[in-house]
Amino acid sequence: MPTKVLVIGACGQIGTELTMRLREIYGGEQVVASDIREGNEELMSSGPFETLDAMNKSQIEDICLHYEINEVYLMAAMLSATGEKFPKKAWSLNMDSLMHILDIAKEGKIDKIFWPSSIAVFGPTTPRDNTEQHTIMEPTTVYGISKQTGERWCEYYFNKYGVDVRSIRYPGLISWKTLPGGGTTDYAVDIFHKAVADGSYDCFLKEDTALPMMYMEDAVRATIEIMRAPLKEIKERSSYNLSGMSFTPTAIAEEIKKHVPDFSIEFNPDFRQEIADSWPSSIDDSAAREDWNWKHEYDLDNMVTEMLSHLK
């Protein structure tokens, strides 16, 4: 059977680039983009699009049946900073959408699921440096709580019902193609836009706040690689740690100054500082590297060069 893909949340920060890459691989007509709102022109014109509420199970089922979908990428979510403003809404969206997809797979209507987790599953009691695959997880944000709960459900549905669901704990993601989406790590996207437009940036985190990050090219490639890996290679059925680089606002600002010499940065931490302080500063992703041969390609230096060359 040919691979027929549905991307839910296709117009979001990750979903947009993921959808376009999947269409390159499988063909435009084989990858159905869906979201509660329409996306950019390239996304809308390169293949089928369906307006979809991720919390409407019957609507998801209808689309899966109509297009003969066998793989679903569930990218719809309310992120960390936005989730703290609307906790119950975040919980409902993040959990109900996952349970709908897990149940559709359990009923035999689709074959494989990708669901993204996050470093937000960790908390202030988690060892911050080189955080291991299996460690203390006591998240303090509604986003992190929903992602940790989702990991447990994914593992349960695999063990109990044989549902082939695969997951990555994304670090902060950086892309020039899409604007920030309400996450705590989004300063590392916004800083580039402000550097090019204004030559300065007002950062909502402290200068020495180290966080795990990844360039979007690597994140999209990892997402597709884990889905295409043989079943026997996927040994973690909660979610895999994934890492590319780790840096502070000061470090990225210094790297930007190599390209924009007059660039300046100020630090005015807000409520997002408390969220960042509860997350790891660096990640051990050796399980992903050993199980399905994950390798990152971008470090801080070549990521900054790439971002500024595109945005300029």
Side-chain angles (χ1 to χ4, degrees):
M1 254 182 93
T3 301
K4 293 290 294 280
V5 177
L6 172 64
V7 182
I8 300 174
C11 301
Q13 186 185 22
I14 309 170
T16 300
E17 296 188 43
L18 176 64
T19 301
M20 298 309 299
R21 187 66 52 82
L22 287 166
R23 284 176 173 169
E24 287 175 17
I25 295 168
Y26 296 115
E29 293 303 310
Q30 302 296 105
V31 180
V32 180
S34 70
D35 210 310
I36 204 159
R37 59 183 172 84
E38 292 190 353
N40 64 34
E41 186 180 345
E42 186 182 24
L43 181 94
M44 299 300 292
S45 63
S46 59
F49 178 85
E50 294 283 345
T51 303
L52 172 66
D53 180 354
M55 296 170 70
N56 188 326
K57 186 186 176 192
S58 62
Q59 199 180 8
I60 298 168
E61 285 181 311
D62 289 345
I63 290 172
C64 288
L65 183 65
H66 177 75
Y67 289 98
E68 299 180 320
I69 298 296
N70 45 38
E71 292 188 9
V72 172
Y73 290 72
L74 175 57
M75 311 308 291
M78 189 178 290
L79 301 182
S80 58
T82 310
E84 290 307 286
K85 295 175 184 176
F86 309 102
K88 289 185 179 178
K89 192 173 179 182
W91 174 261
S92 296
L93 172 60
N94 295 354
M95 293 312 307
D96 290 354
S97 58
L98 173 61
M99 297 309 295
H100 292 334
I101 298 299
L102 289 173
D103 282 335
I104 290 168
K106 175 190 166 189
E107 293 156 11
K109 296 170 184 173
I110 52 175
D111 300 329
K112 197 186 293 185
I113 299 164
F114 177 82
W115 174 78
S117 188
S118 163
I119 58 168
V121 297
F122 303 119
T125 54
T126 302
R128 283 180 57 79
D129 297 326
N130 215 26
T131 301
E132 295 182 352
Q133 175 68 38
H134 299 283
T135 186
I136 300 164
M137 294 163 65
E138 295 181 329
T140 54
T141 64
V142 67
Y143 180 61
I145 293 165
S146 69
K147 288 300 183 183
Q148 187 196 28
T149 306
E151 287 191 16
R152 303 274 62 80
W153 277 118
C154 288
E155 191 169 58
Y156 181 85
Y157 267 68
F158 174 76
N159 291 330
K160 192 86 171 175
Y161 308 117
V163 171
D164 187 3
V165 55
R166 305 176 181 203
S167 181
I168 286 167
R169 290 174 187 148
Y170 287 129
L173 299 181
I174 302 168
S175 168
W176 60 271
K177 292 182 181 178
T178 47
L179 292 170
T184 300
T185 56
D186 278 349
Y187 89 86
V189 179
D190 198 30
I191 193 171
F192 288 102
H193 290 274
K194 295 295 195 300
V196 171
D198 306 328
S200 63
Y201 182 61
D202 186 2
C203 186
F204 56 74
L205 297 181
K206 294 177 184 174
E207 62 268 29
D208 58 352
T209 306
L211 289 169
M213 299 282 187
M214 180 172 286
Y215 192 46
M216 187 66 81
E217 285 284 328
D218 275 346
V220 168
R221 182 169 55 81
T223 302
I224 294 169
E225 283 179 5
I226 193 173
M227 284 292 275
R228 300 185 86 182
L231 184 71
K232 66 179 186 300
E233 290 184 4
I234 308 302
K235 295 167 185 173
E236 300 291 341
R237 286 297 178 165
S238 53
S239 190
Y240 276 95
N241 275 3
L242 202 72
S243 183
M245 62 191 100
S246 185
F247 55 77
T248 65
T250 297
I252 193 172
E254 289 302 317
E255 201 63 41
I256 288 171
K257 282 181 185 178
K258 293 177 183 178
H259 304 263
V260 186
D262 294 332
F263 176 70
S264 63
I265 186 169
E266 291 187 9
F267 301 96
N268 292 291
D270 65 13
F271 73 99
R272 288 167 283 195
Q273 182 65 49
E274 189 176 348
I275 298 174
D277 288 342
S278 73
W279 290 353
S281 58
S282 58
I283 292 287
D284 175 2
D285 62 357
S286 54
R289 294 176 188 273
E290 290 167 10
D291 290 358
W292 44 279
N293 203 30
W294 159 246
K295 293 183 183 71
H296 73 281
E297 292 179 358
Y298 286 87
D299 57 19
L300 180 58
D301 176 38
N302 58 6
M303 184 267 292
V304 169
T305 302
E306 185 103 344
M307 285 288 291
L308 289 173
S309 67
H310 283 292
L311 289 177
K312 282 180 175 177

